[in-house]
Amino acid sequence: MIIAVASGKGGTGKTTIASSLALAVSPASTTFLDCDVEAPNAHFFLEPTFSQHEEVGLLIPQVDEERCTACGRCAEVCQYHAIVVLAGKVLVFPELCHGCGSCTLNCPEDAIKEVPDVLGMLEGGRTASGIYFARGVLNIGEPMAVPIIRQLKAWQPVQDGEVVIRDVPPGTSCPVVESIRGADFVVLVTEPTPFGLHDLRLAAQLVRDLELPAGVIVNRDGIGDRQVDDYCREAGLPIMMRIPMDRRIAEALAQGHLLVEAFPEYLPRFQDLYAQIRTLVEAGTGSELQTQSTRIKMGSLQGIRQTE
Amino acid sequence: MKLAISADGPQLEAQLDARFGRCAYFIFVDTETHAWEASPNPAIDARGGAGTQAAQFIANQGAQAVISGHFGPNAFEALDAAGIKMYAAAAGRVESVVEEFSSGRLKKVTVPGASGHHGGRGRH
Ligand code: SF4
Ligand code: SF4
């Protein structure tokens, strides 16, 4: 079972909620993936000891100038415009290259060789409580987060009965889509404010586009108005948990404590959250919006998995 | 010499479009004969690499110099490699920008501008 914990923006308590959920499910059969490869921070909460390190990257083209006739075919086929042929010379722009291999396949002179280009690092290890924790760390200044997230997801095969929690980066951009894709359920963390609602709408739209079941956690409940509640009802998104606005909670989190550790009374609530997720996934639906599309959903998901 | 100008429309009366990679049109002007033609920029909707695509396009059209408002780092590197000289203009109609160029009043661009959407280089 793969659960993605997402939020439209940063600072909603997403990471502490994802970490608490990981602890509430049986830790020894739980994997936690920090997919925020541009600014990983879940290790501050879960404190794993990293024992595995692996460099990851893409295969990018390298042109043999002896063989190249400057025919321009590679530039024509590259949909990312990462390779250009100018003044009789081929120029590669590694930071634009997606490593798709089209240029190599299409070069009539066999002049292109693929060489690895390191984008970042995968790291994995166990936490004191037994959770297997893995994260990707993108090299500074590197714009390409998606390939690292994809490789992080595929790094360790998911065992039967294992629960994988993915901490999704904030926002609704490509790295978010990649982090959510392939999940069985998406937990959307929000705040009951106009900003929270705005970001929740965007995140909910994305989840709907991916045809995944989802539910909402309202954090800092009580600080705003009822608009988030109204929206969830209209959109058929179940509100699965509310965490009240509470100075003590805010302080504990600011000091890097986990919700379920600082407030043990939350442990059963997170266990209940997990039970709700299981029920919804087994019923094949999280929100009413999904009911009609469950079948299509399974099909298209498999399609995505295969192309990954 | 064949000169390319990034423009917001397909005529000499169009305004200079300051974004090299994402401009709407390129106007190609022959500085000797004053013959000109306009082409839509094929890179306008590129998901990435608009700068390199636009550079490849104007190079294929045989441009030897280009006028725009702003060249991103990738566009700069590609145009530089192609031997296409870059000139910066602030604003104005294409015809007046060409005039400024002919009278030597435009500044040659020798360093790339700030990066665009994807935020910069520095892979190695
Ligand atoms: S396709 Fe091959 S031969 Fe043609 S320009 Fe590219 S590298 Fe050179
Ligand atoms: S590998 Fe793909 S993205 Fe990279 S230069 Fe070749 S065609 Fe373009």
Side-chain angles (χ1 to χ4, degrees):
Chain A
M1 162 106 78
I2 301 173
I3 302 167
V5 182
S7 71
K9 63 169 183 132
T12 55
K14 169 181 59 65
T15 298
T16 181
I17 285 170
S19 308
S20 292
L21 179 59
L23 277 174
V25 184
S26 86
S29 56
T30 302
T31 290
F32 189 99
L33 298 184
D34 188 349
C35 296
D36 191 353
V37 301
E38 280 160 290
N41 68 347
H43 56 285
F44 292 126
F45 291 103
L46 289 169
E47 301 179 323
T49 310
F50 291 117
S51 53
Q52 300 156 294
H53 306 266
E54 193 177 310
E55 282 192 326
V56 285
L58 292 173
L59 288 174
I60 66 164
Q62 189 178 62
V63 177
D64 179 348
E65 291 183 12
E66 303 277 286
R67 286 181 167 220
C68 172
T69 57
C71 71
R73 183 79 188 126
C74 51
E76 266 169 48
V77 298
C78 178
Q79 53 171 315
Y80 304 103
H81 312 292
I83 189 164
V84 292
V85 183
L86 294 164
K89 282 193 78 169
V90 181
L91 215 59
V92 177
F93 291 82
E95 68 277 21
L96 296 175
C97 175
H98 284 54
C100 71
S102 298
C103 52
T104 309
L105 276 174
N106 284 284
C107 172
E109 309 295 334
D110 252 342
I112 304 181
K113 188 169 87 181
E114 295 184 315
V115 292
D117 186 58
V118 174
L119 299 174
M121 180 88 101
L122 300 183
E123 296 179 308
R126 296 224 171 247
T127 70
S129 54
I131 295 171
Y132 179 74
F133 183 105
R135 65 170 184 175
V137 186
L138 193 66
N139 288 349
I140 303 283
E142 185 55 65
M144 210 78 82
V146 169
I148 295 238
I149 299 170
R150 190 171 294 161
Q151 292 181 50
L152 174 66
K153 283 160 61 179
W155 196 27
Q156 307 293 345
V158 182
Q159 311 291 333
D160 258 359
E162 189 178 336
V163 178
V164 179
I165 309 233
R166 293 189 195 151
D167 188 14
V168 177
T172 43
S173 55
C174 303
V176 178
V177 176
E178 186 57 43
S179 305
I180 290 179
R181 188 176 278 171
D184 299 302
F185 194 87
V186 185
V187 175
L188 297 168
V189 183
T190 189
E191 288 176 1
T193 61
F195 297 115
L197 176 62
H198 173 260
D199 294 320
L200 174 64
R201 276 179 196 277
L202 295 177
Q205 182 58 47
L206 190 142
V207 170
R208 213 170 291 144
D209 291 345
L210 291 170
E211 300 187 356
L212 291 174
V216 172
I217 293 185
V218 180
N219 194 16
R220 301 197 191 102
D221 194 28
I223 56 170
D225 47 37
R226 293 201 51 84
Q227 284 190 50
V228 163
D229 283 52
D230 295 341
Y231 168 72
C232 288
R233 194 170 339 101
E234 280 160 34
L237 281 166
I239 294 181
M240 308 178 82
M241 189 174 189
R242 291 173 195 274
I243 301 169
M245 178 59 205
D246 181 334
R247 275 256 322 262
R248 293 173 313 141
I249 294 183
E251 279 165 13
L253 296 185
Q255 288 163 14
H257 296 304
L258 272 171
L259 194 54
V260 291
E261 282 174 354
F263 302 92
E265 65 268 31
Y266 273 90
L267 196 64
R269 295 188 57 191
F270 275 96
Q271 283 160 346
D272 174 63
L273 170 69
Y274 176 60
Q276 287 183 56
I277 293 172
R278 274 194 79 119
T279 312
L280 290 171
V281 169
E282 275 156 22
T285 168
S287 59
E288 278 166 28
L289 283 166
Q290 304 303 327
T291 19
Q292 313 97 327
S293 55
T294 311
R295 270 178 191 284
I296 312 165
K297 179 188 84 196
M298 297 309 291
S300 62
L301 255 186
Q302 258 143 29
I304 291 162
R305 282 223 178 94
Q306 272 157 19
T307 56
E308 262 178 13
Chain B
M1 163 160 64
K2 196 165 182 179
L3 181 64
I5 303 104
S6 60
D8 69 359
Q11 334 80 14
L12 292 178
E13 293 78 33
Q15 294 289 318
L16 177 89
D17 192 331
R19 305 155 307 161
F20 170 73
R22 302 251 178 223
C23 66
Y25 289 88
F26 281 109
I27 313 264
F28 296 95
V29 179
D30 185 320
T31 51
E32 280 92 53
T33 65
H34 296 284
W36 67 276
E37 58 177 352
S39 302
N41 174 12
I44 189 163
D45 291 324
R47 279 189 297 162
T52 52
Q53 187 183 8
Q56 177 85 68
F57 175 68
I58 68 164
N60 291 353
Q61 303 300 308
Q64 291 146 287
V66 55
I67 306 172
S68 188
H70 171 98
F71 301 92
N74 293 333
F76 181 88
E77 190 180 335
L79 291 166
D80 195 43
I84 298 173
K85 295 189 181 58
M86 291 163 263
Y87 293 86
R93 299 203 319 187
V94 170
E95 46 193 1
S96 54
V97 168
V98 173
E99 226 181 86
E100 284 179 60
F101 172 82
S102 305
S103 57
R105 276 180 288 154
L106 290 183
K107 248 183 88 185
K108 205 164 149 187
V109 178
T110 51
V111 285
S115 60
H117 169 68
H118 267 301
R121 316 275 326 276
R123 173 167 276 195
H124 291 291

